[in-house]
Amino acid sequence: RKSHSRVEGLQYELFHVLGTQLLSTKLTPIDASAALFAYAKASYIQDMGIFDHLSEWIASNVERKDFTTRQLSQSLWSCGKMAMFEDETLGKDNEKSVQEPPYLASARKLATALSQRTKELTPNDVAQSIWACGRLGINDFNIVYALAYRSKAVASKCSTQELANILWGLSRVGFEDEQIIHDLTKPILDPRKSPNAQECSNVLYALGRMHIRDEEAFSVLTEKMMDQLEDATQQAIANVLWAHKTVQFSTPQQLLDSWAIKKLGLNGIVIPADNPTE
């Protein structure tokens, strides 16, 4: 524990000292995107002015030819990651969280730029972009559909994690094209694929949010999840139970019992809340 605290202290000092130099340094695309990514990965929110400065600089320079789609999608993901961490740390009822963070405007510009360069997006690029849009609430029709169509085109090359993130993101922005959702869900049902418990949960939760009653998806992914119940969190199980209830599929007894044991230490049926958190 002492060692962990020492590392955190060193990290804080490094970000604080080196970060301030980014405010006056002449930046390049690779510098700015890498720094933004580092702030997000480290969940460093003590100097948000620097994070805002970096995201604004990137957004103001999206038309530069030396900005790759990898750098732009990673930067958009960084904004989504920071928003997630701020929500978890500050709480959604905190006064700060009610105000729109400055980097959200930058994120919208990044999403717009990426939606205009979809042919260049790799499976990882599009997965990060759609996940971030879902996390940040960027639901502009033209942006979302451009990214969704690209995700459909590369679905066969996506990993199970990428597919789960794409579906989760689309479910958060009011996406309604069931055919595209079907095309994105089908690859993850391939018997050769091995989605983990969290990925199964995310996909079923996404289908539930979109009120898509895909019998095959619920059957296959629920079975895969039940094979990994030891690795599933109680929240992941609760989300799957909620999804079953939302689309009116019967809930497997094994999942109910597992949720009861993990959540309350009980043996037997316990019905979870209707509104799970992610």
Side-chain angles (χ1 to χ4, degrees):
R1 185 175 297 176
K2 287 183 178 179
S3 176
H4 181 68
S5 298
R6 205 173 292 124
V7 170
E8 284 187 335
L10 178 60
Q11 181 189 73
Y12 174 85
E13 187 176 346
L14 284 172
F15 273 83
H16 182 69
V17 173
L18 299 178
T20 55
Q21 297 183 27
L22 295 170
L23 297 174
S24 57
T25 302
K26 185 177 181 180
L27 298 170
T28 65
I30 192 171
D31 293 334
S33 60
L36 195 75
F37 183 69
Y39 269 80
K41 286 289 285 185
S43 299
Y44 184 81
I45 62 173
Q46 282 79 2
D47 294 321
M48 284 304 298
I50 298 172
F51 187 88
D52 294 334
H53 168 73
L54 291 170
S55 62
E56 184 179 357
W57 187 91
I58 295 170
S60 299
N61 288 274
V62 289
E63 294 183 1
R64 285 179 54 153
K65 292 182 179 180
D66 52 343
F67 246 130
T68 66
T69 51
R70 174 90 288 268
Q71 291 163 347
L72 294 176
S73 61
Q74 187 169 275
S75 297
L76 179 57
W77 176 89
S78 298
C79 292
K81 176 70 172 178
M82 192 59 81
M84 181 180 76
F85 186 71
E86 282 196 297
D87 281 346
E88 292 173 350
T89 304
L90 301 175
K92 292 184 178 180
D93 294 329
N94 186 287
E95 184 179 345
K96 276 190 176 182
S97 66
V98 174
Q99 301 173 2
E100 183 175 293
Y103 59 79
L104 181 53
S106 299
R108 291 193 185 102
K109 291 180 181 178
L110 293 174
T112 299
L114 287 163
S115 71
Q116 296 168 350
R117 297 175 61 177
T118 53
K119 290 184 179 180
E120 302 172 49
L121 299 181
T122 66
N124 185 252
D125 293 340
V126 77
Q128 286 192 326
S129 298
I130 292 177
W131 177 87
C133 285
R135 174 57 64 181
L136 295 163
I138 299 174
N139 58 3
D140 179 275
F141 179 90
N142 293 327
I143 293 173
V144 171
Y145 268 80
L147 294 174
Y149 275 109
R150 178 57 180 172
S151 69
K152 176 183 175 181
V154 299
S156 63
K157 299 177 182 178
C158 288
S159 67
T160 54
Q161 182 181 21
E162 288 164 346
L163 289 167
N165 285 345
I166 289 168
L167 288 164
W168 182 90
L170 291 175
S171 77
R172 295 285 299 250
V173 293
F175 191 73
E176 297 180 342
D177 191 319
E178 289 196 25
Q179 184 57 53
I180 289 182
I181 296 301
H182 174 76
D183 292 339
L184 291 170
T185 304
K186 192 164 185 174
I188 208 170
L189 305 181
D190 189 319
R192 294 169 294 182
K193 299 277 189 181
S194 301
N196 61 34
Q198 188 61 54
E199 291 161 0
C200 292
S201 175
N202 286 350
V203 172
L204 293 176
Y205 175 71
L207 294 176
R209 278 185 65 94
M210 293 182 283
H211 298 279
I212 295 178
R213 202 171 188 272
D214 186 329
E215 187 171 353
E216 181 185 7
F218 271 82
S219 174
V220 171
L221 294 178
T222 300
E223 183 177 347
K224 286 181 181 289
M225 186 165 181
M226 288 195 293
D227 290 339
Q228 309 172 71
L229 280 179
E230 290 185 1
D231 300 324
T233 65
Q234 62 88 10
Q235 188 59 64
I237 296 172
N239 286 350
V240 173
L241 294 175
W242 174 85
H244 276 79
K245 183 177 180 181
T246 300
V247 298
Q248 299 182 334
F249 279 140
S250 59
T251 306
Q253 178 72 43
Q254 189 179 354
L255 273 181
L256 282 168
D257 290 344
S258 181
W259 183 87
I261 293 169
K262 286 177 179 283
K263 177 68 173 177
L264 302 172
L266 301 175
N267 290 309
I269 299 176
V270 177
I271 302 298
D274 287 346
N275 297 306
T277 58
E278 291 98 44

